[in-house]
């Protein structure tokens, strides 16, 4: 893969994924196909970003279907390595993100962003993209990767694409496949809470938990926070920099995350 990327035409756009592709992923590949001479896509369920009690073993996998979709999208290169190729025996070098990774997901899922940053750094090194494409749904992940690329002079333009949603507002996610029919019906409460948080924020209030608590299938709420969209530090008022309302909650036991950017 590394050699194929080094001799490929430029510019080269990379869309890193964990597979189980949906319309959100395809919005990234569509944009990358338009922007670049070469479209590369990685499919790798990264074990190091999952905690011991998380869903690595059960994470949706659909390689044959994914490859067919990417062929339709006109992907030139697909990188789908086994774990031992990415993390060979004796691997012991990690990227430790700073403050941008401490709150929200970093607080609830210790070590998650170390795994994310490390695997993305490896993908950037192997593929050598000019641009890399990520979805805004994983807003803190985007901020971590953008900071890493800038701080380490990786020479990759990190492109963020808008969250793709179902008609009822639910953000597309591979983990939506876990939802049972009645849970799927309840899941849009996450987006309703974000919209309520945005309205409350603009009127000087910040508590949107009542919206989430109104849905009986919401088992727990990890956080609802307004943060600076670049630094992920909590903010008390909208300033010149974009802010982001982020939420993580469990609907019927399925953990879902989402956010909206306040501009």
């Amino acid at each position: 893969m590394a050699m194929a990327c080094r001799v490929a035409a430029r510019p080269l756009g990379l869309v890193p994924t964990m597979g189980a592709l949906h319309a959100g992923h395809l919005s990234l590949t569509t944009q990358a196909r338009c922007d670049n001479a070469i479209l590369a896509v990685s499919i790798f369920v990264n074990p190091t970003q999952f905690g011991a009690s998380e869903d690595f073993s059960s994470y949706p996998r659909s390689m044959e279907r994914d490859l067919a979709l990417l062929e339709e999208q006109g992907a030139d290169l697909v990188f789908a390595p086994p774990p031992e190729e990415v993390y060979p025996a004796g691997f012991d070098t990690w990227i430790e993100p700073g403050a941008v990774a401490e709150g929200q997901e970093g607080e609830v899922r210790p070590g998650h962003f170390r795994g994310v940053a490390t695997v993305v750094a490896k993908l950037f090194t192997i593929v050598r993209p000019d641009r890399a494409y990520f979805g805004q749904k994983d807003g803190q992940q985007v901020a971590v990767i953008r900071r890493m690329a800038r701080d380490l002079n990786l020479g990759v333009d990190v492109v963020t694409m808008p969250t793709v949603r179902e008609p009822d507002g639910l953000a597309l996610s591979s983990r939506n496949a876990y939802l049972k029919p009645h849970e799927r019906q309840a899941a849009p409460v996450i987006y309703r809470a974000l919209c309520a948080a945005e309205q409350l924020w603009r009127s000087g209030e910040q508590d949107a938990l009542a919206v989430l608590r109104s849905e009986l299938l919401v088992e727990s709420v990890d956080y609802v926070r307004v943060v600076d969209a670049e630094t992920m530090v909590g903010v008390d008022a909208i300033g010149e920099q974009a802010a982001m309302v982020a939420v993580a909650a469990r609907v019927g036991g399925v953990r879902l995350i989402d956010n909206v950017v306040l501009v």
Side-chain angles (χ1 to χ4, degrees):
M1 182 66 177
M3 181 58 68
C5 291
R6 288 191 178 98
V7 301
R10 295 286 162 169
L12 185 153
L14 170 66
V15 179
T17 82
M18 293 206 301
L21 302 182
H22 51 66
H25 296 111
L26 301 185
S27 73
L28 305 182
T29 58
T30 297
Q31 187 64 50
R33 177 72 283 172
C34 291
D35 293 346
N36 302 278
I38 296 294
L39 167 60
V41 180
S42 62
I43 300 174
F44 180 65
V45 183
N46 177 34
T48 68
Q49 68 189 67
F50 289 80
S53 61
E54 294 182 353
D55 58 341
F56 172 72
S57 61
S58 62
Y59 190 85
R61 292 165 169 84
S62 54
M63 183 64 73
E64 185 174 339
R65 173 181 172 275
D66 291 348
L67 292 175
L69 285 171
L70 293 176
E71 183 176 3
E72 292 176 5
Q73 289 282 298
D76 300 292
L77 299 167
V78 177
F79 183 45
E84 59 271 20
E85 182 176 341
V86 178
Y87 302 111
F91 182 88
D92 195 29
T93 300
W94 303 94
I95 302 290
E96 294 282 358
V100 69
E102 291 178 357
Q104 293 79 254
E105 291 299 285
E107 180 180 342
V108 178
R109 304 177 67 188
H112 170 68
F113 284 122
R114 182 180 84 151
V116 169
T118 300
V119 77
V120 172
K122 292 208 69 172
L123 290 172
F124 284 2
T125 301
I126 294 167
V127 179
R128 307 292 177 116
D130 299 286
R131 302 183 183 97
Y133 295 76
F134 299 88
Q136 177 59 39
K137 187 189 79 70
D138 298 296
Q140 188 174 15
Q141 172 178 279
V142 171
V144 168
I145 293 168
R146 193 180 296 279
R147 169 66 69 174
M148 176 184 71
R150 182 167 63 245
D151 286 354
L152 300 183
N153 302 108
L154 297 181
V156 179
D157 180 15
V158 177
V159 180
T160 308
M161 296 294 295
T163 300
V164 177
R165 301 184 180 278
E166 299 282 8
D168 59 10
L170 179 65
L172 295 188
S173 168
S174 298
R175 287 187 170 95
N176 291 352
Y178 297 151
L179 294 166
K180 298 173 183 176
H182 65 291
E183 296 167 346
R184 171 61 187 85
Q185 187 174 3
V189 71
I190 302 291
Y191 184 58
R192 293 200 299 273
L194 285 171
C195 293
E198 180 177 7
Q199 294 173 357
L200 289 167
W201 179 259
R202 295 190 186 283
S203 64
E205 303 178 48
Q206 298 186 34
D207 187 6
L209 284 174
V211 177
L212 290 170
R213 290 172 179 151
S214 70
E215 174 52 66
L216 296 178
L217 287 176
V218 174
E219 294 186 357
S220 62
V221 179
D222 287 340
Y223 57 81
V224 181
R225 293 177 189 163
V226 182
V227 296
D228 183 290
E230 180 178 349
T231 67
M232 294 293 117
V233 174
V235 296
D236 296 322
I238 298 176
E240 294 183 1
Q241 293 280 32
M244 184 179 84
V245 186
V247 62
R250 291 186 180 275
V251 177
V254 180
R255 188 172 186 274
L256 302 174
I257 66 170
D258 201 353
N259 67 82
V260 294
V261 176
L262 308 177
V263 294

